[in-house]
Amino acid sequence: MRFEHYEAGPFYDEMFDPRGQPRPGCALLARTLATIPDDEVLRRQRAAERALLHMGSTFNVYGHEEGVEKIFPFDMIPRIVPAAEWRLLERGLVQRARALNLFIDDVYHAQRVLADGVVPRELVESATSYLPACRGLDPPRGVWCHVSGTDLVRDRDGRYYVLEDNMRCPSGVSYVLQNRRVMKRTFPRVFEASRVRPVDAYPSQLLLTLQNVGPRDVAEPTVVLLTPGTYNSAYFEHSFLAQQMGIELVEGRDLAVRDGFVWMQTTRGLSRVDVIYRRIDDTFLDPTVFRRDSMLGVPGLMDVVRAGRVALANAPGTGVADDKVIYAYVPAIIRYYLGEDPILPNVPTFVCFDDKQREHVLSNLDKLVVKAANESGGYGMLMGPQATAAERAAFADRIREKPRNYIAQPLLGLSRAPTLVEGAVEGRHVDLRPYILHGDSIFVLPGGLTRVALRKGSYVVNSSQGGGSKDTWVLAAGGPNGGD
Amino acid sequence: MLSRVAEAIYWMGRYAERAENVARFVDVSFQVMLDLPEPLGDPWAGVVGATGDEALYAARHGTATRDGVVRFLTFDAGSPNSILSCLRKARENARSVREVISSEMWEQINKWYLLVRDASTDQAVLDDPHDFLTEVKQASHLFVGIAALTMSHGEGWHFGRIGRLLERADQTSRIVDAKQALLLARPSELGASLDEINLSALLRSVSALEMYRKRHGRIAFQTVIGFLLLEKMFPRSVRYCLNEARRSLHAITGQPPEAGDTIVPERLLGRLGAEYEYASVDEVLAEGLHEHLDRLQSKLNEVGLAISQTFFAVRPHVQEPPAARTAAPAPETAAAVAAQTTAAGPVAAASPPAPAPQPTGAAQ
């Protein structure tokens, strides 16, 4: 693998500084990769892809022949995060998770944050992910967001920003675990020498987090993972996590509510369920409370949840913190609940709900990225600098029509990482999604999903739109590799 | 174990076994045609007739030709019992319980499915399917072996095994039924040597020729039928399948067979097994072979239905939720709960007999 023609370009490069020297922690990796002949690189890449296919590390592609699974494209040059950098991220993520959990609890109880004018009441109440049915809900141990995955990006100066908080059902952690297994096989020696912090503990940490919210009078609570079924695009992950934790993978039709408890239908009759790690959306949970047409949920479930006889992870209603407009208020939310300055900054955000900010957005559409409040996966966006005048005019109309639905941000020059493209190494834009578990304390998995936009120049890292992934190596402090 | 999971493993076993038996059936039909000195009537129509899918065949392919029949039974995705359809359903069931079966099992059933899917566009395979059909059989044996060696022999494994054994008993009876029509209908036309060709083919189709020779030597109609239905030790005979299915059923309920057959599927399977334990081939032939096999098949359906009602059926009207946290950890309670719920639920119609839609709903 040759780096002599590699150009870091006008973006922040994750591996090389502007003079072409490896960044702290990357020297050993760069040196080792450079010694591997090109054909050997290709051979290892193919072996890695084959291993992923055989492990079944796949996602379903909607609209294709049934049972067709594709592997999430995998790039074998890892992304390195030095120990000091990680410490900062970890502190920032813990702070953010704690504040957002308090915010959600407040929104569904006393609403002090609204009364004090920190977040406009109208904004919260008009959020489609705000669920009035959750008012007064007391999830066990006060935890709402047991599992979250926060998307981070770096701008040209290398500074990390929070792009969005995923407080509902963030997916992708199975790729973190599988990518790691494959990387250990692909580069065993450099892996060993680099002192990379392990990620294997995730399933047991997750299980502990889930057991922690079980009823206090049950010594070993029964935890299940609720999936929408085999046709869901993340079914592999559901199945993988259930297997790794050794818990039952259930569908809505396996569960029933009787006598105030949730039971699963087994070959030996009904068996009680204490904690549900659900991977279906809020509004599908219980057709008697939310969407009536939901076939995926369990009728009567919310009554049992309210009575505290079953715990849901994440609790319903947490999506209110994912609203892209409320996102703009997270720094204020952190200051309000914790009395601290945010450790990780937001991307500067203009809220079209506010008259002055909206005017600024409308007169600067050619410089901004506009996003809809409740879309994800890269949909419902306007990339101002790349859009045509007609597209911008059409979006301006939509903003005027429903200002509450839109925010705008400057276009960040996302950092790039060296990536194998047809046998050569080229820079591609990346982001980073670490996973956070909220039990009695908050655990951040040292690693995360580095998504990479494989198309040249593209900023879109989503798997549905040509994205791939890389293993993320968080280095241990004081390692021989200059981890610090 | 979750009812849905048990059901998926059961159907995974059934469909995998069915795929193997269709391969056996096509292979032996093909070979018999080669041995026949001159075409007798319309032999390929007889092959379709044996599957019971004549109407569907006629609708999809018209008159029975070699190519049409082989395609119908191997690669026709529109035929529910083609090898391809069976494997697709077996694989979809496996996919829905991937966290329960071993990853080696998943890998093998996946490879097996891909083998058939990739062959389905290859004209050379249709021209001479023997090698391909042999591969299908071997893939099946590999799957069974991998399951036996990589999955704990607990409840789930036994459900898969019951599915496989009930399916095998059913398929053996169908293969015998298909051939007996030819053997009994025209004895004079066929003559003794052709009889022997057909009987050998019948034995070969269930891999029984060599074992039969060791046991009986000379090939004769009566002993061949006796071997395929009533032989105690041969793993594809109906009697063997019933006995072993019964063992797995008792392993699931946790009751030793000598404790008696208390729940409905135990009782039905026990009674059917007992009949085969003590029947003689003369009695079978006196009843009429076809009539006897028909009755066997409907008894097997009843057993399947009872298993489904007892262990898989969703029971929306269970009167009392169990008081204990786990409904029935002790075997005797398990049986009681099962018996009670079988009687309770209006679920009979929900569980179709043998060529049933598989439970993942994937084929619909």
Side-chain angles (χ1 to χ4, degrees):
Chain A
M1 201 180 293
R2 278 167 302 181
F3 291 102
E4 50 268 32
H5 302 298
Y6 182 76
E7 285 186 26
F11 301 96
Y12 184 88
D13 191 89
E14 296 287 342
M15 197 150 141
F16 296 100
D17 69 17
R19 292 168 297 125
Q21 296 305 307
R23 290 190 185 278
C26 299
L28 177 64
L29 178 68
R31 216 168 42 235
T32 314
L33 292 179
T35 62
I36 305 176
D38 283 355
D39 53 343
E40 176 64 13
V41 169
L42 275 178
R43 196 191 63 75
R44 291 195 198 182
Q45 173 86 29
R46 288 207 194 95
E49 282 165 5
R50 214 171 29 247
L52 285 171
L53 187 65
H54 284 169
M55 281 189 220
S57 180
T58 53
F59 65 96
N60 295 348
V61 185
Y62 291 118
H64 282 61
E65 183 201 344
E66 77 182 30
V68 168
E69 294 130 31
K70 292 197 161 183
I71 63 166
F72 190 21
F74 171 68
D75 183 74
M76 62 178 196
I77 307 178
R79 183 243 197 103
I80 286 184
V81 183
E85 205 170 291
W86 182 255
R87 268 199 300 276
L88 175 82
L89 293 182
E90 192 173 29
R91 281 175 45 229
L93 292 166
V94 167
Q95 179 194 52
R96 206 166 166 105
R98 179 169 293 133
L100 284 173
N101 196 69
L102 292 170
F103 168 71
I104 295 164
D105 196 61
D106 189 18
V107 158
Y108 290 112
H109 288 95
Q111 303 194 330
R112 287 190 300 124
V113 70
L114 309 185
D116 290 343
V118 178
V119 180
R121 174 179 298 276
E122 191 188 339
L123 210 54
V124 167
E125 289 178 349
S126 62
T128 52
S129 49
Y130 169 71
L131 301 177
C134 295
R135 288 294 302 272
L137 192 70
D138 286 309
R141 327 284 285 171
V143 180
W144 291 74
C145 294
H146 310 77
V147 186
S148 56
T150 302
D151 288 344
L152 303 173
V153 293
R154 300 176 100 167
D155 200 1
R156 287 169 202 268
D157 59 2
R159 192 164 186 209
Y160 281 97
Y161 292 87
V162 176
L163 187 66
E164 55 187 62
D165 302 285
N166 296 293
M167 312 303 276
R168 284 175 276 194
C169 302
S171 62
V173 74
S174 58
Y175 300 118
V176 175
L177 304 180
Q178 299 271 37
N179 286 353
R180 178 58 56 83
R181 286 194 199 171
V182 168
M183 281 307 282
K184 282 190 196 163
R185 282 197 223 162
T186 310
F187 295 126
R189 256 177 259 147
V190 62
F191 186 86
E192 195 182 354
S194 296
R195 296 212 37 220
V196 180
R197 292 181 64 187
V199 293
D200 321 354
Y202 184 81
S204 21
Q205 282 289 340
L206 177 59
L207 185 58
L208 283 176
T209 306
L210 296 167
Q211 286 171 335
N212 182 50
V213 292
R216 292 290 111 178
D217 58 334
V218 178
E220 273 215 29
T222 301
V223 181
V224 300
L225 194 157
L226 175 60
T227 175
T230 53
Y231 291 101
N232 187 266
S233 63
Y235 179 73
F236 162 72
E237 174 157 310
H238 306 162
S239 160
F240 176 77
L241 288 176
Q243 186 182 45
Q244 295 295 308
M245 290 189 282
I247 64 175
E248 296 283 3
L249 178 67
V250 304
E251 296 179 19
R253 58 192 161 123
D254 298 323
L255 300 180
V257 170
R258 299 257 188 290
D259 271 18
F261 288 94
V262 177
W263 306 83
M264 58 181 163
Q265 172 74 49
T266 78
T267 53
R268 298 181 172 220
L270 299 175
S271 171
R272 209 179 108 182
V273 173
D274 302 306
V275 181
I276 302 175
Y277 177 37
R278 47 90 176 204
R279 296 291 299 257
I280 69 177
D281 290 343
D282 282 355
T283 52
F284 287 91
L285 281 173
D286 181 347
T288 66
V289 178
F290 305 113
R291 287 180 63 147
R292 284 165 187 283
D293 61 342
S294 170
M295 304 290 283
L296 305 174
V298 188
L301 176 63
M302 281 303 290
D303 288 338
V304 188
V305 171
R306 283 197 204 95
R309 288 166 164 173
V310 74
L312 288 182
N314 294 348
T318 56
V320 68
D322 276 359
D323 185 285
K324 289 198 172 61
V325 186
I326 289 171
Y327 157 88
Y329 295 83
V330 174
I333 287 171
I334 292 173
R335 287 192 193 93
Y336 180 73
Y337 290 105
L338 305 179
E340 299 169 3
D341 282 328
I343 297 166
L344 292 172
N346 262 17
V347 178
T349 302
F350 302 101
V351 177
C352 298
F353 174 73
D354 179 280
D355 295 342
K356 252 171 78 186
Q357 296 185 36
R358 182 172 63 249
E359 284 319 306
H360 176 82
V361 170
L362 289 172
S363 47
N364 289 282
L365 272 185
D366 57 335
K367 300 185 193 70
L368 296 170
V369 179
V370 186
K371 296 176 178 174
N374 278 299
E375 301 274 356
S376 61
Y379 298 102
M381 279 173 72
L382 175 80
M383 298 288 269
Q386 288 148 24
T388 65
E391 283 168 344
R392 285 198 294 266
F395 229 86
D397 288 343
R398 283 157 71 177
I399 294 172
R400 284 192 198 93
E401 196 183 320
K402 281 193 176 165
R404 192 259 172 252
N405 265 5
Y406 295 94
I407 57 152
Q409 295 169 338
L411 182 64
L412 297 188
L414 298 196
S415 63
R416 297 199 315 192
T419 302
L420 267 185
V421 182
E422 287 161 18
V425 185
E426 294 181 18
R428 289 289 183 269
H429 296 291
V430 294
D431 77 351
L432 174 61
R433 176 181 287 183
Y435 293 86
I436 301 114
L437 297 176
H438 195 322
D440 284 340
S441 61
I442 296 176
F443 167 83
V444 183
L445 181 69
L449 185 64
T450 291
R451 294 186 297 179
V452 49
L454 294 172
R455 273 201 297 272
K456 197 180 182 76
S458 170
Y459 280 181
V460 185
V461 295
N462 303 82
S463 55
S464 52
Q465 303 191 30
S469 72
K470 285 169 168 289
D471 193 13
T472 309
W473 289 7
V474 173
L475 303 183
N481 190 26
D484 249 349
Chain B
M1 157 163 282
L2 283 177
S3 295
R4 176 179 52 79
V5 169
E7 184 172 23
I9 299 180
Y10 171 84
W11 284 107
M12 176 186 77
R14 283 203 83 137
Y15 281 117
E17 182 70 26
R18 194 173 301 173
E20 179 192 327
N21 280 282
V22 174
R24 290 176 174 281
F25 184 71
V26 175
D27 197 24
V28 76
S29 304
F30 213 82
Q31 311 241 347
V32 170
M33 300 297 172
L34 299 179
D35 283 339
L36 287 176
E38 57 194 66
L40 285 162
D42 196 355
W44 287 103
V47 173
V48 180
T51 65
D53 287 334
E54 302 99 314
L56 182 66
Y57 178 86
R60 294 185 63 78
H61 301 277
T63 52
T65 61
R66 196 193 82 145
D67 256 29
V69 175
V70 172
R71 192 182 290 277
F72 183 70
L73 294 175
T74 51
F75 303 133
D76 189 346
S79 162
N81 292 318
S82 70
I83 296 174
L84 184 64
S85 297
C86 289
L87 281 176
R88 174 178 295 156
K89 287 182 272 193
R91 177 180 180 276
E92 278 303 298
N93 278 302
R95 204 164 90 82
S96 73
V97 293
R98 244 167 89 172
E99 79 289 356
V100 180
I101 61 176
S102 67
S103 41
E104 287 90 343
M105 286 169 73
W106 162 251
E107 234 174 75
Q108 173 57 19
I109 206 154
N110 201 21
K111 281 187 197 157
W112 186 10
Y113 167 73
L114 293 176
L115 162 82
V116 174
R117 198 196 61 183
D118 294 348
S120 67
T121 50
D122 188 348
Q123 182 59 39
V125 171
L126 283 175
D127 292 341
D128 182 6
H130 175 71
D131 288 347
F132 164 74
L133 295 167
T134 305
E135 275 186 279
V136 170
K137 278 186 274 182
Q138 282 169 351
S140 173
H141 296 166
L142 191 51
F143 177 66
V144 174
I146 287 173
L149 295 175
T150 61
M151 186 177 177
S152 294
H153 290 197
E155 207 182 346
W157 187 76
H158 281 293
F159 272 114
R161 190 163 181 269
I162 289 186
R164 177 152 45 83
L165 290 162
L166 290 181
E167 182 68 27
R168 190 186 297 159
D170 186 75
Q171 294 291 337
T172 297
S173 79
R174 283 171 198 273
I175 292 176
V176 172
D177 201 17
K179 281 280 164 283
Q180 67 91 24
L182 197 58
L183 288 163
L184 293 181
R186 289 170 285 195
S188 52
E189 274 179 67
L190 287 168
S193 72
L194 278 184
D195 250 8
E196 186 157 338
I197 289 176
N198 271 292
L199 285 169
S200 309
L202 175 58
L203 288 167
R204 260 188 290 120
S205 74
V206 293
S207 301
L209 182 58
E210 291 159 31
M211 296 302 135
Y212 173 89
R213 290 249 190 234
K214 289 188 211 312
R215 180 91 166 76
H216 296 290
R218 213 173 64 79
I219 291 186
F221 180 73
Q222 198 142 338
T223 38
V224 169
I225 300 300
F227 189 80
L228 295 178
L229 300 186
L230 304 173
E231 165 61 35
K232 187 181 174 72
M233 310 292 239
F234 184 67
R236 306 198 76 86
S237 84
V238 172
R239 177 175 167 194
Y240 177 92
C241 293
L242 293 173
N243 274 334
E244 290 302 308
R246 185 160 174 247
R247 283 213 330 195
S248 278
L249 186 57
H250 281 283
I252 288 165
T253 59
Q255 300 204 101
E258 56 272 21
D261 300 305
T262 49
I263 63 170
V264 179
E266 280 178 352
R267 213 162 45 67
L268 292 176
L269 193 52
R271 186 161 66 195
L272 188 56
E275 183 183 339
Y276 272 74
E277 207 59 37
Y278 300 109
S280 75
V281 71
D282 292 332
E283 287 166 359
V284 169
L285 294 177
E287 184 182 350
L289 184 53
H290 174 71
E291 289 71 17
H292 175 85
L293 295 172
D294 238 20
R295 191 166 60 79
L296 168 65
Q297 285 158 21
S298 69
K299 292 276 180 210
L300 286 168
N301 279 354
E302 282 173 29
V303 172
L305 204 61
I307 286 174
S308 168
Q309 283 170 4
T310 305
F311 300 108
F312 311 149
V314 177
R315 299 159 219 168
H317 306 300
V318 177
Q319 287 86 353
E320 304 161 43
R325 274 191 39 77
T326 297
E332 58 275 19
T333 346
V337 168
Q340 168 220 329
T341 45
T342 307
V347 287
S351 308
Q358 47 86 39
T360 61
Q364 271 76 50

